[in-house]
Amino acid sequence: EAQVTQNPRYLITVTGKKLTVTCSQNMNHEYMSWYRQDPGLGLRQIYYSMNVEVTDKGDVPEGYKVSRKEKRNFPLILESPSPNQTSLYFCASSPSISPGNTIYFGEGSWLTVV
Amino acid sequence: TQLLEQSPQFLSIQEGENLTVYCNSSSVFSSLQWYRQEPGEGPVLLVTVVTGGEVKKLKRLTFQFGDARKDSSLHITAAQPGDTGLYLCAGAGSTSGTYKYIFGTGTRLKVLA
């Protein structure tokens, strides 16, 4: 089954404790991206990757890091989480960034930073 | 900066009623997509429109792309409780030669039985 898998689905952590949210896709997609979803603000892009070893900042990259060492994996790293990073996070993938391509989303990761 | 504004933000209607959701921008998009998101899940694609003036129908849902490719609408006929969810539009635009998807702020629809 074609899917984007992210873990953990739910996490409560403390300020400053490094954490990683993993993301994996099994569709051989070149393009992967991370979004955060907050009430009234919609989906905002954090980072994206056009292909292996190619990553770039989205609209809200501050406080986040990513890596793309393999095509299927695109982990999101919070080196020193802060309460304003409490949010619902989605990993997504697409064959490429060409207009009209379907974006496939993971089920989301609820992150609370206290 | 390209922005997509959706209206209304919230909509609560009775089963059987019709409704229209709007997605507007001052920017031109190469394509526009509509997604539906249900609680606890990621958004799922409903439709993609690429040509100005294009109309697509998906059962009781009708999608239209504006002639100038700056806006879109989603019309639902005879809404059912199963239509409840968050509807998101997403436009594909080019910035400095790179395409990017911009998501609207969403319309949360609740259909009451």
Side-chain angles (χ1 to χ4, degrees):
Chain A
E1 180 188 354
Q3 58 185 5
V4 178
T5 304
Q6 37 181 128
N7 283 293
R9 293 289 314 279
Y10 305 92
L11 180 64
I12 300 175
T13 190
V14 295
T15 299
K17 185 177 181 181
K18 179 180 178 180
L19 70 94
T20 299
V21 186
T22 64
C23 175
S24 180
Q25 52 95 2
N26 63 359
M27 295 169 279
N28 201 37
H29 286 168
E30 291 185 349
Y31 182 84
M32 296 186 75
S33 181
W34 276 101
Y35 295 88
R36 58 178 291 175
Q37 188 174 39
D38 302 288
L41 297 176
L43 281 166
R44 293 181 294 167
Q45 191 177 52
I46 303 170
Y47 268 94
Y48 65 94
S49 171
M50 305 284 275
N51 213 324
V52 176
E53 302 290 2
V54 181
T55 63
D56 210 342
K57 296 177 180 178
D59 297 315
V60 288
E62 294 77 21
Y64 305 94
K65 286 175 58 178
V66 293
S67 67
R68 187 91 182 274
K69 296 177 182 175
E70 305 166 279
K71 200 170 189 178
R72 63 183 292 128
N73 296 322
F74 191 44
L76 179 69
I77 304 157
L78 285 73
E79 292 274 2
S80 183
S82 62
N84 65 12
Q85 292 178 296
T86 292
S87 187
L88 175 58
Y89 291 86
F90 285 102
C91 180
S93 75
S94 183
S96 71
I97 193 55
S98 297
N101 275 334
T102 301
I103 304 172
Y104 295 84
F105 287 87
E107 292 183 307
S109 295
W110 285 97
L111 172 63
T112 301
V113 183
V114 297
Chain B
T1 302
Q2 294 176 305
L3 294 173
L4 273 171
E5 294 186 1
Q6 287 186 237
S7 61
Q9 271 193 297
F10 302 96
L11 192 55
S12 180
I13 61 172
Q14 292 293 133
E15 182 177 4
E17 292 184 6
N18 302 331
L19 67 112
T20 302
V21 177
Y22 299 93
C23 176
N24 295 298
S25 175
S26 57
S27 303
V28 175
F29 291 99
S30 302
S31 68
L32 200 133
Q33 300 177 320
W34 284 92
Y35 290 80
R36 181 168 68 205
Q37 182 180 3
E38 299 187 24
E41 299 181 9
V44 175
L45 179 68
L46 294 173
V47 77
T48 300
V49 285
V50 296
T51 306
E54 182 176 1
V55 177
K56 278 192 175 179
K57 291 192 174 184
L58 185 66
K59 296 184 181 178
R60 294 175 294 100
L61 278 61
T62 302
F63 305 86
Q64 184 164 9
F65 202 10
D67 291 339
R69 291 185 288 131
K70 293 183 178 182
D71 55 85
S72 180
S73 64
L74 157 60
H75 182 80
I76 301 179
T77 303
Q80 298 178 1
D83 296 325
T84 293
L86 177 67
Y87 289 81
L88 296 162
C89 61
S94 177
T95 303
S96 304
T98 301
Y99 280 105
K100 184 177 179 180
Y101 283 102
I102 307 294
F103 281 84
T105 49
T107 294
R108 193 165 296 278
L109 170 66
K110 186 168 186 177
V111 182
L112 305 169

